[in-house]
Amino acid sequence: MRRTNNRRYKLLLHAAGIGLVLAAMLASDLLQQPVWEADGLGRPLPHSTHGISVALPRWQDVIGYEEKKSEVVEKMSSGYPRFVVHPLVSKLAKELGGGENALPFPSRRAAESAAEFVKRTSAFSARVLTKNGISVASTDVEGMPALRAFWQHTGLIVSSRQAEAALAGRQPNGNVHNVRTTLRRQIADWYDCAEDDVFLAPTGMASVYAALRAVRARRPIQRTIQLGFPYVDTLKLQEKFGAGATLLPNLETIEAELRSLLNEEALAGCFCEIPGNPLLGSVDLRAIGPLLRKHGVPLIADDVVATPLNVDLSPYADLIATSLTKFVVGTCDAMGGALICNRASPYYAELKGAIRSQHEELLWGEDAVVLAEQAESFPERMQRHNENGLWIAEQLRAHPATERVWYPKWESAEAYEAVRRVGGGWGALLSFLPKDGKNRSPMIYDRLPLCKGPSLGAVFTLACPFTLLAHYTELDWAESCGVSRYLIRLSVGLEEPEELWERISRALD
């Protein structure tokens, strides 16, 4: 097995030209100097203006964050951008919106949609103001939860780089069109599709939102369906912005349940993740795909965890929504997403037409630059992520302190193998449950000498108690779906595997 080292990774960054920026160096430094102790609480990961993760080093910090305890929240200078509004974005909103109860959006159309959502879901109205090319939706303090919900679930956000540029009066670079074209070409190569089949978005969730709008253009009053335990916002998006959603979380009974449902009603679309997050199981698309096609239901697949370098979903998926924020960028300091239209789909022309009619180029140019630069090294990095992820998963599985490990090689393995590319791996995301998790998971998490915070796909390993972070207000429901509140998720980075395992095993002992 090929091993990774810090020097080689930094040389790789040098080879990417201007990709060797401060944030990339800070990200690589976290390979050997993780932020994991109590005094790191609230520090951006990486420690730069645009870092998108945040250090939550203790179990009680995660609970304090979820419960909005002042001793935790006041130490957080930033957080994952869809959940925690960046200080630069807040400053921009305040300056342009004339108050605290406002959020900026990347276009006037997005701001108007946010205002409509506030009006529809609360008893309050929202106003849209446009100044210096930035549109802001503002509301009363009671309307802010709805406005923030739109921001979080749709992913139509203003990035910290865009806010920084707006505050400085800096205009978009004239080369933005070429940069976006380059990025689309890179993505098209991974998906074996045409460049114009790739639609860029400011976040991965914005790509899922675009897919939802496209399938609803075909069947506006029909519900959608989610197969497998979902990433939290994927389901919330369907529930709040669609005609309703049905969740089928049990992979073992999913085919029979779906068949029964399809015989009862027409559906607008079907969503799934290959593999799922955090249980890493996969829907068997060999059975599900033909069944959906028979009933005229488009399949929207999310490949963020596996990445297109490991799986090929084109025989079954009509649309593929992905996040560029994770493994593609690697440095954990830029947001972006893409929606890919499958030319082999029987709904290709219809869906692509709907997407094109709604599409706006909202991926900020400076973020596109970072993504395009990092995309150059993505294939090589992903191969090493695969190697490290498998090795750490195997060590954890054999450790006597571990109750269970979830990893795509073992969870619904045949379903994953059916879409795994020749030479593809099983990725670098895994979850594990320690024995006596109720008592030992908090202690193990606190002792892990790894960066601890939200997100995945960074070059440095990230740990989090995923169920607490994503489902704190619905823990009993999550556990009824087989997702323990004591589960710990690891996004395995590019550290030396033996050194990384030594750190993890030390916390387990």
Side-chain angles (χ1 to χ4, degrees):
M1 179 182 295
R2 182 168 47 177
R3 297 294 183 236
T4 308
N5 57 58
N6 248 11
R7 181 175 179 275
R8 185 175 179 196
Y9 178 69
K10 290 182 179 181
L11 289 174
L12 180 62
L13 291 177
H14 275 292
I18 60 173
L20 185 61
V21 294
L22 177 60
M25 290 301 297
L26 289 170
S28 67
D29 287 343
L30 291 175
L31 292 170
Q32 293 185 337
Q33 298 174 347
V35 178
W36 69 279
E37 296 179 289
D39 59 3
L41 173 62
R43 174 176 163 177
L45 300 173
H47 192 45
S48 70
T49 301
H50 307 295
I52 65 167
S53 189
V54 61
L56 295 168
R58 297 170 299 175
W59 196 269
Q60 69 189 53
D61 296 330
V62 177
I63 294 174
Y65 164 72
E66 292 294 336
E67 296 182 351
K68 304 296 184 286
K69 291 185 177 179
S70 58
E71 62 267 27
V72 174
V73 175
E74 289 174 3
K75 290 186 178 180
M76 295 179 63
S77 58
S78 65
Y80 195 72
R82 287 192 299 104
F83 293 86
V84 179
V85 179
H86 193 280
L88 290 174
V89 175
S90 294
K91 183 178 180 181
L92 179 64
K94 187 174 181 180
E95 287 191 6
L96 298 182
E100 298 285 347
N101 304 313
L103 284 173
F105 289 89
S107 72
R108 184 171 183 89
R109 187 193 301 177
E112 289 173 346
S113 295
E116 291 170 5
F117 179 76
V118 172
K119 183 178 180 180
R120 176 170 62 84
T121 60
S122 73
F124 304 94
S125 62
R127 302 162 296 283
V128 175
L129 309 170
T130 300
K131 185 177 180 181
N132 299 330
I134 300 289
S135 291
V136 175
S138 62
T139 184
D140 300 315
V141 63
E142 295 89 349
M144 276 305 290
L147 189 59
R148 284 180 176 269
F150 183 92
W151 173 279
Q152 174 185 326
H153 299 319
T154 69
L156 293 175
I157 71 173
V158 166
S159 76
S160 56
R161 285 185 176 83
Q162 184 173 1
E164 184 179 56
L167 289 166
R170 191 167 68 245
Q171 296 300 311
N173 188 298
N175 198 38
V176 168
H177 173 75
N178 291 338
V179 171
R180 290 190 184 123
T181 297
T182 297
L183 182 56
R184 277 194 296 269
R185 286 173 180 166
Q186 291 168 313
I187 296 169
D189 284 344
W190 304 332
Y191 287 94
D192 305 313
C193 69
E195 177 193 327
D196 66 358
D197 290 333
V198 178
F199 293 85
L200 300 176
T203 64
M205 280 311 304
S207 297
V208 179
Y209 182 44
L212 176 63
R213 287 184 295 163
V215 296
R216 293 201 69 218
R218 297 177 71 243
R219 294 178 175 177
I221 64 172
Q222 272 73 38
R223 296 188 301 160
T224 52
I225 190 166
Q226 176 74 43
L227 304 182
F229 187 83
Y231 174 67
V232 57
D233 283 311
T234 303
L235 182 59
K236 301 295 185 189
L237 189 67
Q238 297 171 67
E239 293 173 338
K240 295 184 179 184
F241 296 87
T246 298
L247 171 64
L248 301 180
N250 190 335
L251 295 179
E252 294 181 0
T253 60
I254 228 167
E255 183 182 350
E257 291 172 331
L258 178 60
R259 189 182 301 277
S260 175
L261 188 62
L262 288 170
N263 287 333
E264 293 174 0
E265 65 175 291
L267 296 173
C270 179
F271 290 75
C272 72
E273 299 158 27
I274 305 290
N277 177 13
L279 297 184
L280 288 308
S282 297
V283 175
D284 191 341
L285 296 184
R286 295 169 300 179
I288 297 302
L291 184 58
L292 291 171
R293 290 275 169 88
K294 176 183 176 182
H295 289 268
V297 180
L299 173 65
I300 302 96
D302 178 332
D303 68 352
V304 171
V305 171
T307 82
L309 300 187
N310 287 326
V311 297
D312 177 11
L313 306 182
S314 61
Y316 308 103
D318 301 291
L319 296 172
I320 301 174
T322 198
S323 173
L324 308 177
T325 307
K326 311 302 192 299
F327 290 103
V328 173
V329 71
T331 48
C332 203
D333 75 324
M335 302 283 283
L339 181 61
I340 295 90
C341 297
N342 183 1
R343 196 171 290 266
S345 165
Y347 323 114
Y348 170 75
E350 191 176 7
L351 290 175
K352 186 174 180 179
I355 294 166
R356 185 187 287 116
S357 69
Q358 300 168 348
H359 183 69
E360 296 181 277
E361 288 288 4
L362 301 183
L363 177 62
W364 182 245
E366 293 174 24
D367 292 299
V369 168
V370 177
L371 292 166
E373 289 169 1
Q374 291 301 113
E376 293 292 333
S377 60
F378 166 54
E380 182 175 349
R381 280 187 283 111
M382 197 63 221
Q383 182 177 347
R384 289 182 283 146
H385 274 298
N386 288 338
E387 294 170 353
N388 287 5
L390 174 59
W391 198 78
I392 294 298
E394 289 174 335
Q395 305 312 305
L396 267 172
R397 201 180 191 204
H399 197 281
T402 303
E403 180 72 29
R404 183 171 177 182
V405 175
W406 291 267
Y407 187 65
K409 186 174 182 180
W410 308 306
E411 296 301 316
S412 49
E414 289 186 7
Y416 186 89
E417 288 302 308
V419 294
R420 186 164 70 95
R421 289 186 184 271
V422 175
W426 295 274
L429 194 72
L430 62 91
S431 298
F432 73 98
L433 179 66
K435 291 179 178 176
D436 187 21
K438 181 177 181 179
N439 294 309
R440 288 186 52 79
S441 286
M443 178 187 67
I444 290 169
Y445 179 80
D446 290 358
R447 292 174 56 186
L448 278 172
L450 309 170
C451 288
K452 287 171 276 188
S455 198
L456 59 94
V459 296
F460 52 89
T461 295
L462 266 171
C464 75
F466 180 83
T467 319
L468 293 187
L469 270 178
H471 301 284
Y472 191 73
T473 61
E474 50 189 16
L475 291 173
D476 290 341
W477 169 79
E479 290 196 323
S480 74
C481 296
V483 186
S484 170
R485 70 187 68 197
Y486 304 111
L487 173 149
I488 297 173
R489 191 188 73 177
L490 292 181
S491 172
V492 180
L494 303 185
E495 295 90 345
E496 286 284 354
E498 293 89 346
E499 177 188 338
L500 179 59
W501 174 244
E502 192 278 329
R503 291 192 224 164
I504 295 171
S505 61
R506 197 165 65 235
L508 290 171
D509 293 337

